[in-house]
């Protein structure tokens, strides 16, 4: 074997069973070593990282025997963007523009988790205005529905059900229109800021959302009709990708995958944030722990999220005109945004004030935007219930205007550990279904 070296050593009794041999190889092709040393034919297939059925640039290394998967491993890192490291070179407020781009299907959750951590370091958690928290809840729950719709739509498309994808993406479009009206962007919003939100919601937010909700519900009903009783769909999903509660606990799996195994763990209930303890909603669970149950749970979670949205809308209408940012001007983002003829930017009234009547306001605005506010020395941990599971943020401050460290516990990264357990022993076609049921987003995995 040219370019390949290997040697066999007798393993110690405590490492391997009696008579077992340990092979160490460097260079060359492992397939060649296996054939020559072990004397068996192994077919190793790379599914990805460009494969359309891997939800992004995920590499799956599959060892197959006929159509049966005998070994499966996930390879990540192909979408590494250095977001966490970049955040160490930006102000605390600028950090939201980076972390929002990690899991690009659920950007508002990264923003919220990061800001909750920063607010904990600043000691202003209880000072965040109620209206700002309500807006955060409204936006996150709409984002949860949009994320689940992409999960269901892409999973259907990967199994050949193109109509499932078109319906799901049409429904998501209704939600993205609301996001665009509120933040100016369809994704990567940087809307949730330390201390509150960038600006208040439009005056007609109630009409916008109430117009979208019946449409989203209609499409969710169509998805349920197309999928849940479909014999082909059930044949592909029922009993596929099983991962019981013990497996989920051992691997640190959270979100719909954990709840499909029977444990009703939801951060919104276990460790409430942003006032979630005051909202009325249920945590759907099941106990079959297969791909089919995860579809059912995600659909039900969409309905629960829409119920939370309606409650948030009622609270918004009761707090019109209330502040959406902490009162402390040493922290509060100074911009007063408005939509003008050239797009969104500082309102003309705000510019007239800081440029024409208050030199101190202009200096303060300049310092806060260019240098940022200082955060006391310390570290904080904050978690939110992300569409894919528990999203945790560990922020560390050395007393400066930039994070010393910002580390994210992304649920997709942890959940991908289940690939081998869910896929080995199944068919190659089941790998696509199992990975789709995990719903990984590689932007969050690689960061």
């Amino acid at each position: 074997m040219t370019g390949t070296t290997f040697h066999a050593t007798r393993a110690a009794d405590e490492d391997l069973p009696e008579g077992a041999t340990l092979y160490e190889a460097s260079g060359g092709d492992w397939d060649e070593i296996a054939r020559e040393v072990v004397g068996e034919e192994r077919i190793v297939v790379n599914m990805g990282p460009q494969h359309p059925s891997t939800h992004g640039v995920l590499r799956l290394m599959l060892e197959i025997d006929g159509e049966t998967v005998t070994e499966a491993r996930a390879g990540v890192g192909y979408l590494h963007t250095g977001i966490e490291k970049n955040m160490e070179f930006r102000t605390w407020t600028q950090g939201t523009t980076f972390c929002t781009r990690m899991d690009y299907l659920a950007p508002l959750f990264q923003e919220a988790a990061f800001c909750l951590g920063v607010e904990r370091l600043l000691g202003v958690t209880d000072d965040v205005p109620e209206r700002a928290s309500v807006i955060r809840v409204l936006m996150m729950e709409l984002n949860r529905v949009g994320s689940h719709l992409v999960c269901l739509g892409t999973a259907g498309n990967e199994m050949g059900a193109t109509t499932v994808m078109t319906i799901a993406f049409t429904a998501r479009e209704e939600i993205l229109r609301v996001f665009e009206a509120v933040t100016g962007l369809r994704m990567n919003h940087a809307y949730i800021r330390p201390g509150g939100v960038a600006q208040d919601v439009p005056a007609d937010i109630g009409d916008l959302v109430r117009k979208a909700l019946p449409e989203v519900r209609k499409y969710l009903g169509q998805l349920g009709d197309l999928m849940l009783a479909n014999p082909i769909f059930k044949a592909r999903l029922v009993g596929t990708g099983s991962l019981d509660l013990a497996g989920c606990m051992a691997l640190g799996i959270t979100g719909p995958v954990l709840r499909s195994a029977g444990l009703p763990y939801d951060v919104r209930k276990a460790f409430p944030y942003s006032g979630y303890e005051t909202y009325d909603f249920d945590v759907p669970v099941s106990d079959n722990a297969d791909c089919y149950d995860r579809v059912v749970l995600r659909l039900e979670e969409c309905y629960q999220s829409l119920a939370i949205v309606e409650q948030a809308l009622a609270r918004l209408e009761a707090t019109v005109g209330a502040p959406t940012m902490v009162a402390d001007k040493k922290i509060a983002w100074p911009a007063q945004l408005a939509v003008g003829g050239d797009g969104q930017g500082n309102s003309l009234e705000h510019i007239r004030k800081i440029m024409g009547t208050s030199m101190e306001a202009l200096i303060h605005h300049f310092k806060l935007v260019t240098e940022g506010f200082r955060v006391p020395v310390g570290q904080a941990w904050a978690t939110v219930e992300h569409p894919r599971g528990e999203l945790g943020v560990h922020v560390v401050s050395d007393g400066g205007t930039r994070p010393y460290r910002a580390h994210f516990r992304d649920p997709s990264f942890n959940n991908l550990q289940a690939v081998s357990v869910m896929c080995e022993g199944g068919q190659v076609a089941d790998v696509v279904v199992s990975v789709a049921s995990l719903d990984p987003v590689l932007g969050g995995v690689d960061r």
Side-chain angles (χ1 to χ4, degrees):
M1 290 178 291
T2 307
T4 304
T5 60
F6 71 91
H7 64 272
T9 58
R10 181 68 64 191
D13 288 346
E14 64 272 14
D15 295 330
L16 291 174
E18 179 65 29
T21 303
L22 176 68
Y23 295 97
E24 295 181 5
S26 59
D29 188 342
W30 175 247
D31 255 1
E32 294 178 17
I33 300 170
R35 277 197 298 273
E36 186 161 324
V37 177
V38 185
E40 63 181 36
E41 180 72 26
R42 300 184 350 148
I43 300 176
V44 179
V45 176
N46 274 305
M47 184 183 285
Q50 78 295 334
H51 196 279
S53 291
T54 52
H55 280 258
V57 284
L58 170 66
R59 180 188 179 198
L60 295 170
M61 293 156 278
L62 307 176
E63 179 189 311
I64 58 175
D65 179 11
E67 282 292 312
T68 303
V69 178
T70 56
E71 185 178 346
R73 284 174 291 170
V76 299
Y78 294 92
L79 196 59
H80 180 55
T81 45
I83 287 175
E84 289 180 356
K85 179 55 68 175
N86 270 298
M87 289 174 70
E88 297 173 19
F89 296 88
R90 299 294 187 276
T91 67
W92 293 92
T93 301
Q94 287 173 326
T96 59
T97 66
F98 281 83
C99 67
T100 189
R101 287 167 164 78
M102 292 183 352
D103 187 327
Y104 38 81
L105 294 181
L108 288 154
F109 291 89
Q110 280 97 230
E111 298 173 23
F114 174 69
C115 291
L116 287 171
V118 176
E119 287 157 8
R120 195 164 290 176
L121 282 176
L122 288 167
V124 299
T125 301
D126 296 332
D127 299 329
V128 176
E130 180 191 356
R131 185 171 177 85
S133 292
V134 173
I135 293 172
R136 289 179 177 184
V137 169
L138 172 78
M139 298 294 280
M140 281 191 286
E141 293 308 317
L142 286 172
N143 202 174
R144 189 184 313 279
V145 178
S147 177
H148 281 344
L149 285 168
V150 173
C151 169
L152 298 171
T154 53
N157 186 56
E158 288 161 4
M159 288 182 280
T162 309
T163 309
V164 171
M165 185 189 72
T166 56
I167 291 175
F169 275 74
T170 304
R172 179 171 175 258
E173 202 65 28
E174 299 289 337
I175 293 170
L176 294 184
R177 287 195 193 100
V178 175
F179 286 169
E180 194 168 6
V182 174
T183 72
L185 295 163
R186 292 160 58 89
M187 58 194 296
N188 303 337
H189 312 280
Y191 177 68
I192 299 175
R193 306 280 178 89
V197 294
Q199 61 177 338
D200 202 353
V201 291
D204 61 346
I205 184 66
D207 296 335
L208 287 171
V209 176
R210 288 195 175 94
K211 180 182 176 184
L213 291 186
E215 292 296 308
V216 175
R217 278 200 174 89
K218 178 186 77 176
Y219 291 123
L220 286 172
Q222 291 179 5
L223 286 173
D225 293 342
L226 270 173
M227 296 188 295
L228 299 187
N230 187 319
I232 301 173
F233 190 84
K234 293 181 75 171
R236 291 292 304 275
L237 273 73
V238 174
T240 302
S242 297
L243 183 65
D244 63 14
L245 182 55
C248 290
M249 298 296 285
L251 295 172
I253 308 298
T254 53
V257 181
L258 175 63
R259 292 190 285 273
S260 74
L263 185 66
Y265 176 71
D266 188 309
V267 180
R268 296 171 295 176
K269 293 283 191 182
F271 307 101
Y273 53 93
S274 299
Y276 266 110
E277 66 275 13
T278 64
Y279 291 86
D280 181 23
F281 67 99
D282 296 322
V283 179
V285 291
S286 61
D287 53 14
N288 292 321
D290 61 7
C291 293
Y292 182 80
D293 270 23
R294 290 164 205 148
V295 170
V296 176
L297 287 186
R298 286 189 174 98
L299 274 173
E300 181 55 33
E301 284 184 18
C302 288
Y303 287 113
Q304 294 295 328
S305 290
L306 294 180
I308 297 174
V309 167
E310 290 178 336
Q311 296 171 56
L313 277 179
R315 299 185 189 194
L316 280 182
E317 290 166 350
T319 56
V320 173
T324 58
M325 180 60 76
V326 292
D328 187 350
K329 293 300 180 184
K330 298 290 184 183
I331 299 171
W333 191 247
Q336 305 294 323
L337 301 179
V339 177
D342 58 347
Q344 182 174 277
N346 273 308
S347 67
L348 293 177
E349 293 79 9
H350 182 60
I351 293 173
R352 285 193 194 100
K353 178 185 176 186
I354 65 173
M355 295 294 286
T357 63
S358 174
M359 175 61 72
E360 289 76 16
L362 176 61
I363 294 170
H364 184 69
H365 185 128
F366 181 80
K367 288 277 286 180
L368 196 55
V369 171
T370 57
E371 184 180 274
F373 51 78
R374 293 188 177 276
V375 174
V377 175
Q379 56 184 329
W381 170 256
T383 60
V384 301
E385 183 62 34
H386 188 281
R388 275 157 279 288
E390 183 171 10
L391 171 71
V393 182
H394 180 217
V395 285
V396 183
S397 173
D398 59 2
T401 59
R402 300 178 297 187
Y404 176 79
R405 183 76 169 94
H407 173 68
F408 289 77
R409 184 248 186 232
D410 188 87
S412 292
F413 182 79
N414 290 71
N415 291 357
L416 275 177
Q417 294 180 103
V419 166
S420 59
V421 182
M422 292 168 63
C423 297
E424 289 172 5
Q427 303 292 296
V428 174
D430 294 339
V431 173
V432 174
V433 178
S434 296
V435 172
S437 78
L438 288 174
D439 186 28
V441 173
L442 273 295
V445 172
D446 294 338
R447 301 190 296 285

